[in-house]
Amino acid sequence: MTRYLARRLLEAVPLLILISVAVFFLINIIPGGPTAAYENNPHLTPQDLARIERELGLNQPIYVRYVRWLGAVAHGDWGYSLASRRPVLVEIGERLPNTIYLLGVAFAVTLALGIPIGMLSALRQYSLFDHTSTTLAFMGQSVPIFWFGLILIIVFHVSLRNPLTGLPLLPGGGMYTLGEPFSVWDRVSHLILPVSMLTLATAAQYVRYMRASMLEVVHQDYIRTARAKGAGGRRVVWRHAFKNAALPLVTVIALDLPTLFSGALFTETIFSWPGMGRLFYDSALRFDYALLMGIIMVNAALIILSNLAADVVYGCLDPRIRYV
Amino acid sequence: MSRDLRHLSPGVPADPALVPSRAGAGEVVLAGAPPRVPRRGRHRTMAQLAWARFRRHRMALAGLCLVAAFALGAAGARVISPYDPERSDLDHRLAAPSWRHPMGTDDLGRDLATRVLYGGRVSLTIGVMAMALAVTIGTAVGALAGYYGRWVDGVLMRLTDMVLSFPSLFVLILLTLVLRTTPVPFLRGGVLAIVLVIALLSWMTVARLVRASFLSLRETTFVEAARGLGAGNARIIVRHILPNSLSPIIVAATLRVASSIVTESGLSFLGFGVQPPVPTWGNMLQAAQDQMTTAPWTAVYPGLMIFLTVIAINYIGDGLRDALDPHHLR
């Protein structure tokens, strides 16, 4: 197990380096970069610009710059944001928890909705509940989430009002009300819309996976055996069927992480949530390239790690799989 | 082991829509002998059989009609609508939906229904073109990897894994920034640039499907027979194996149109896609964001069009899967 983990982690390193090469070269094709801020400054002569470029090492060939970047990253120096002049790692470190907070809540809600509905749908196959949930899941998967976010704002922020105060029913942005003391309801009310937006499509997808996987399991011989041996309905469903049916979901969840991140980008942009997606959006508008590079690398690393985690968890849950 | 694990476990294709929607108990339909399709006493081609099966999927048929209607509306926008999509009418800014303007007008008084039709032109074109490019790349990569195996497979699949580990939306945005400043004029921020960018990050599913199919088909006797008759590698790939792996490619391609449309509108919504004044459903939604309190209808209709198109295409994909892959558990 330890050997397997070590091998997989070692395998992840070249993959990350390859990704960083690709992204580094892409970012450096974009004209502008660090000297763009000085270009319109009339007090600077072309000689000054050349001097700045030399000092920043921008006159070096791109592969030299890449190797220097890699060396610096290995030492924990990810460069500075052009906009805020603060270290990239500090900027990301400030925003990442907010994104994890949002995605974590959304993920919990997604599982809490997706798994039971999918299971029930499979257990009552062809019932009214099954037809309704299957159709809704199919539709939910097809809703573009950025549009769904706008609709949520129109309905719950613009149209519906709190009957007591006349204020919008739910806040349309931010993580909490600025200048007000901490309150749980304030936090929760700010979560409802962004979480709903993130949940819809993913929950719909999990309903479909869970249903398909459950249907496959409930017709297996060992389920019949369990019933024949006198195990009750609930026990068979949870102890025998659910455990096996939920297995593939582990992989699905891990493979889904990129989708969750893109979801976060839309959600944080629409609901001005101070997370990493919003940070990326702002940096893209400003060509803040050290920050862009940092955010993409952090995301890529998280995606690769989650894939690894999924394989490990899968193996723990399924004794038929052995690590080689 | 771990790498193969995904292929072994049921219901884990990378594309969520590839999961059987009506996966059910045991009812296996045998190839070539679909039940309930009346025989007419004459030989029918595979395509005819597939169409007969497709027709029985009511939602797929409805989806096909809807997409056809949208495509016709987009193509004939000039004939259908009396308005010019670009001309502003400052006396009727942000007008609510009415008989004169069925979807209302935007902040410049432009008729939204007209812009939705013209926007459909751009969005649908991008969807189809990005799909075509992605499927071409994916098929080429998958065919080479699956047919030649060994180091070709190793290199190409590593590449596929790498692109799959990209945080795709982030890299998409980065690519549009790169292409916005490219010296190649026809790629600068236009429709083609978006097509290219979307295709570059969406060919992997098809590549994996095609590879899997090639891996199993290259061991079959008909391939051996072709080789024995002196067929070269290229001929075997194109004439013998590829036609037999078409079904999953067609289904994946259909679903790819829908996801390309969503990607395009998402990028345009964030302001990194097709730039105004060219209307697309995505950048219409972006413009609507500023007027949601005063004119919510500007945000409703373009998104509704995306939603309807995507769900219609997804149903078509569903129907095609049933029609083309009779082995599939239904």
Side-chain angles (χ1 to χ4, degrees), chain A residues 4 8 31 142 147 209 215-216 314, chain B residues 2 9-10 16 19 23 181 299 314:
Chain A
Y4 170 80
R8 285 295 305 272
S142 310
W147 178 62
Y209 279 121
L215 278 177
E216 205 158 296
Y314 201 110
Chain B
S2 63
S9 49
V19 163
T181 49
N314 282 345

Side-chain angles (χ1 to χ4, degrees), chain B residues 173-239:
Chain B
I173 291 176
L174 197 63
L175 278 171
T176 59
L177 292 179
V178 173
L179 283 183
R180 202 178 280 177
T181 49
T182 170
V184 190
F186 68 91
L187 283 177
R188 212 174 288 153
V191 169
L192 279 177
I194 305 299
V195 167
L196 188 68
V197 163
I198 296 176
L200 279 180
L201 281 170
S202 60
W203 51 269
M204 296 83 69
T205 330
V206 177
R208 286 197 158 176
L209 279 174
V210 174
R211 172 178 175 268
S213 165
F214 266 66
L215 273 180
S216 61
L217 286 176
R218 73 170 180 192
E219 309 293 342
T220 52
T221 35
F222 72 83
V223 170
E224 207 177 314
R227 192 170 293 128
L229 287 167
N233 286 333
R235 190 182 168 83
I236 293 178
I237 291 177
V238 178
R239 296 294 297 271

Side-chain angles (χ1 to χ4, degrees), chain A residues 4 8 15 18-19 23 26-27 29-31 125 138-139 141-144 146-147 150-151 153-154 158 205 208-209 211-212 215-216 219 248 251-252 255 261-262 265-266 269-270 280-281 284-285 287 292 295-296 299-300 303-304 307 311 314 321-322, chain B residues 1-3 5-6 9-17 19-25 158 161-162 164-171 173-175 177-178 181 262 265-266 269-270 272 285 289 292-293 296 299-300 303-304 306-307 310-311 314-315 318:
Chain A
Y4 170 80
R8 285 295 305 272
L15 191 58
L18 271 177
I19 293 176
V23 177
L26 269 181
I27 285 185
I29 301 174
I30 307 176
Q125 201 186 0
F138 202 91
M139 290 170 75
Q141 251 192 331
S142 310
V143 176
F146 41 93
W147 178 62
L150 297 186
I151 298 293
I153 292 188
I154 290 176
V158 176
Q205 193 194 341
R208 301 188 60 192
Y209 279 121
R211 179 179 180 276
L215 278 177
E216 205 158 296
H219 295 284
T251 316
V252 174
L255 289 179
F261 281 144
S262 0
L265 208 162
F266 285 120
T269 313
I270 292 178
F280 185 85
Y281 176 77
L285 292 180
F287 293 98
L292 290 178
I295 297 173
I296 291 188
N299 275 346
I303 289 169
I304 292 175
N307 276 349
D311 284 347
Y314 201 110
I321 286 168
R322 272 192 219 99
Chain B
M1 173 77 240
S2 63
R3 196 46 71 190
L5 197 129
R6 265 170 218 145
S9 49
V12 210
D15 203 324
V19 163
S21 62
R22 277 178 286 154
R158 263 293 128 90
D161 284 344
M162 183 179 101
L164 273 175
S165 318
F166 279 163
S168 51
L169 185 64
F170 295 76
V171 178
I173 291 176
L174 197 63
L175 278 171
L177 292 179
V178 173
T181 49
V262 174
S265 36
F269 171 72
L270 292 172
F272 298 105
L285 279 182
Q289 254 188 305
M292 278 198 307
T293 39
V300 171
L304 193 64
I306 306 175
F307 172 51
V310 168
I311 198 168
N314 282 345
Y315 270 122
D318 215 36

Side-chain angles (χ1 to χ4, degrees), chain B residues 57 64 92 108 150 161 165 185 187 193 246 250 276 286 304 317:
Chain B
H57 196 305
L64 191 63
H92 298 93
L108 295 174
R150 297 166 187 271
D161 284 344
S165 318
L187 283 177
L246 270 185
I250 292 174
Q286 187 204 17
L304 193 64

